[in-house]
Amino acid sequence: MSSYSKGLTEAVRQVFTSMLGLDLDLVNMQGSPDLKFERKISSTVGILGDWNGAVVLECSSSTACRLAAAMLGLETPEEVNEDVRDVIGEITNMVAGNFKSTLPGNSVLTLPCIIIGSDYSMGFISGKPVLTESMLCDGRGIVLSIIEGNGHC
């Protein structure tokens, strides 16, 4: 188990359960491939300072729309729009901020970076994934990763 696991789990639960009021179940994906999505949205927020890295959230477009509806108290959008992008960026920002509070020293967050599509992968030039947690939020798959290294999108 990564030394970051407890901090990420607490950060995620704080945002999804307490702030959004959604059910969250961690899925044991150790040694398994990440959840795969037909069309997905990825969001990353960097953490820069005494510890450098990033928090990455990935989910399907339909899950992103459901999260936006829950956060904004609106009907679920049929497709990703500006509100959905903003909500996914803000959720990632809140998780990153809560995770940052578990790290020693001083650091700051970058602005969220959002990618939407169906055939892409994300990579970090001088960073490496140190933790990937897969979870189900109201039965919908979400993958959160911690990248250690630089915090740039």
Side-chain angles (χ1 to χ4, degrees), residues 12-27:
V12 168
R13 286 200 188 282
Q14 176 71 25
V15 171
F16 282 81
T17 305
S18 299
M19 294 181 177
L20 296 176
L22 298 172
D23 292 330
L24 186 70
D25 295 309
L26 293 176
V27 179

Side-chain angles (χ1 to χ4, degrees), residues 7-81:
L8 180 62
T9 299
E10 289 175 9
V12 168
R13 286 200 188 282
Q14 176 71 25
V15 171
F16 282 81
T17 305
S18 299
M19 294 181 177
L20 296 176
L22 298 172
D23 292 330
L24 186 70
D25 295 309
L26 293 176
V27 179
N28 185 355
M29 296 291 287
Q30 297 298 327
S32 301
D34 292 344
L35 297 170
K36 301 293 182 197
F37 307 112
E38 224 174 273
R39 182 162 167 77
K40 67 181 177 179
I41 183 167
S42 300
S43 175
T44 181
V45 171
I47 302 173
L48 303 170
D50 293 330
W51 186 90
N52 291 310
V55 173
V56 179
L57 180 148
E58 295 181 283
C59 64
S60 70
S61 294
S62 63
T63 298
C65 290
R66 173 69 183 99
L67 292 172
M71 187 168 187
L72 300 175
L74 302 173
E75 292 291 318
T76 302
E78 292 186 26
E79 60 185 38
V80 174
N81 58 29

Side-chain angles (χ1 to χ4, degrees), residues 19-150:
M19 294 181 177
L20 296 176
L22 298 172
D23 292 330
L24 186 70
D25 295 309
L26 293 176
V27 179
N28 185 355
M29 296 291 287
Q30 297 298 327
S32 301
D34 292 344
L35 297 170
K36 301 293 182 197
F37 307 112
E38 224 174 273
R39 182 162 167 77
K40 67 181 177 179
I41 183 167
S42 300
S43 175
T44 181
V45 171
I47 302 173
L48 303 170
D50 293 330
W51 186 90
N52 291 310
V55 173
V56 179
L57 180 148
E58 295 181 283
C59 64
S60 70
S61 294
S62 63
T63 298
C65 290
R66 173 69 183 99
L67 292 172
M71 187 168 187
L72 300 175
L74 302 173
E75 292 291 318
T76 302
E78 292 186 26
E79 60 185 38
V80 174
N81 58 29
E82 187 175 334
D83 286 339
V84 174
R85 289 190 299 272
D86 288 348
V87 164
I88 295 303
E90 184 56 29
I91 289 172
T92 308
N93 191 55
M94 290 187 295
V95 170
N98 287 346
F99 176 72
K100 178 181 81 85
S101 72
T102 69
L103 299 171
N106 296 314
S107 55
V108 296
L109 299 178
T110 66
L111 294 173
C113 177
I114 308 290
I115 302 170
I116 303 166
S118 56
D119 189 19
Y120 69 89
S121 62
M122 291 180 59
F124 293 81
I125 294 171
S126 63
K128 64 182 186 300
V130 293
L131 176 65
T132 298
E133 296 275 355
S134 299
M135 59 202 67
L136 294 175
C137 178
D138 284 350
R140 297 170 179 266
I142 297 172
V143 177
L144 274 145
S145 301
I146 300 295
I147 310 298
E148 189 171 19
N150 75 37

